[in-house]
Amino acid sequence: MHVKTFFGPHEKVLWYVPNLIGYLRVALVLYAFVNALQRPKLCLSAYVIAFVCDELDGRAARTFRQCSAFGAVLDMATDRVSTAGLMVVLAAMLPTAAPLLAILLSLDVGAHWLRTAAAQSQGKHHKQASTVASNGLLKLYYRSRIFMGYCCVSAEVTYLALYAMQWKDAQGPRYQAGIVGDMAGQAVSWIFQQKRTGAFQAELGTSLAEGMFMLALPGWALKQVINLLQGLDAAVVLGASHKMRQTEKQADPSEFPGGLCLCMSDNILW
């Protein structure tokens, strides 16, 4: 006889262990944002713990066989809201970078929303939806957990390092219009110094955050390319799904009584 336990499949989905971890992530992220402009150490600590919990909730779901549609949505929504909130904080601290951050934020949220819609049209999880595009980078991203992890972690580390770099002074964050240019100059100086010495030189004045920023930057760039490919690929999937539905409707009109179709201007609404 199978006995239902808390650490196993049961009817109270909202109380699944991975979902409880998800609630903790939400609380930690909100706490981080509340302290973002006054207490950088608390902000970074809370955000990093929440980011680590992103890996733990997935492991818990698989270990305790507590995968659920709610958990999948909670996980992705928390991911996107966390990154979006961090980018908003950076936009407040770096006004000159705000337009770029707005574009990247729109790309991130838009691409993932399209990806989720495409997955739903196939009846799959957004990470399992098949790709119809021939792009090898996108296929590698979804087939290799290591590569996916590298891109996602690099993107988060890049933003976190950029945030930490604004707190060099005890007086508070550096709200300087030229900070982006200064940061680029420091990065170039660090790269060339690395080529000459082959070792990290503390006397350059390059902080740990700046070093982490430079190391994570390639993975961040890859993540932005992948976001764009995600959106384009999802558009192709949605277009193919719409065409298939139209074909099925013409083949068997009885499945669509009265010509019912959820569309507006010939665009299907999801």
Side-chain angles (χ1 to χ4, degrees):
M1 179 179 178
H2 178 69
V3 179
K4 295 182 179 179
T5 65
F6 180 75
F7 296 102
H10 56 79
E11 296 177 354
K12 298 181 179 180
V13 175
L14 298 183
W15 292 97
Y16 276 4
V17 174
N19 294 341
L20 295 178
I21 297 175
Y23 305 149
L24 175 62
R25 286 184 62 201
V26 173
L28 287 169
V29 167
L30 293 177
Y31 181 77
F33 294 156
V34 167
N35 292 280
L37 299 180
Q38 290 85 25
R39 302 177 181 88
K41 291 183 179 179
L42 288 178
C43 174
L44 286 170
S45 298
Y47 195 97
V48 169
I49 294 173
F51 186 63
V52 172
C53 287
D54 185 27
E55 174 64 20
L56 297 180
D57 62 3
R59 291 182 179 273
R62 293 186 293 272
T63 300
F64 302 130
R65 294 178 293 121
Q66 292 184 339
C67 298
S68 65
F70 170 74
V73 173
L74 175 64
D75 179 60
M76 193 183 74
T78 306
D79 289 344
R80 303 279 62 77
V81 170
S82 300
T83 304
L86 182 56
M87 294 174 75
V88 169
V89 170
L90 286 172
M93 299 178 74
L94 298 168
T96 55
L100 175 60
L101 289 168
I103 292 173
L104 295 175
L105 174 56
S106 301
L107 176 62
D108 183 50
V109 175
H112 282 84
W113 188 89
L114 284 171
R115 186 71 187 179
T116 301
Q120 289 178 342
S121 72
Q122 297 177 326
K124 299 179 180 180
H125 187 274
H126 72 279
K127 292 182 180 179
Q128 298 174 331
S130 62
T131 57
V132 297
S134 59
N135 185 274
L137 184 62
L138 189 59
K139 290 183 178 181
L140 176 63
Y141 180 78
Y142 281 106
R143 292 176 181 175
S144 172
R145 287 182 59 85
I146 295 178
F147 182 65
M148 177 186 284
Y150 166 71
C151 293
C152 293
V153 171
S154 294
E156 292 295 322
V157 170
T158 297
Y159 293 130
L160 288 171
L162 185 57
Y163 168 79
M165 287 164 62
Q166 311 314 310
W167 294 88
K168 283 191 170 184
D169 302 320
Q171 289 80 14
R174 300 185 297 171
Y175 296 95
Q176 298 178 8
I179 184 63
V180 176
D182 294 342
M183 182 179 63
Q186 292 170 359
V188 172
S189 174
W190 186 82
I191 292 173
F192 281 104
Q193 184 68 14
Q194 285 290 89
K195 289 182 177 180
R196 289 198 299 269
T197 65
F200 180 79
Q201 300 293 325
E203 59 267 27
L204 283 177
T206 305
S207 67
L208 175 62
E210 290 166 341
M212 293 179 65
F213 175 84
M214 289 303 304
L215 291 174
L217 200 57
W220 168 87
L222 277 173
K223 186 63 170 64
Q224 307 317 306
V225 173
I226 288 170
N227 283 345
L228 179 60
L229 294 175
Q230 277 183 326
L232 295 175
D233 183 63
V236 174
V237 171
L238 287 170
S241 177
H242 176 73
K243 182 177 180 180
M244 181 180 66
R245 287 173 179 268
Q246 291 293 94
T247 302
E248 291 176 350
K249 178 182 176 181
Q250 294 173 1
D252 189 1
S254 62
E255 293 187 6
F256 300 86
L260 179 62
C261 181
L262 296 178
C263 54
M264 179 180 293
S265 300
D266 295 327
N267 293 321
I268 192 164
L269 297 177
W270 292 95

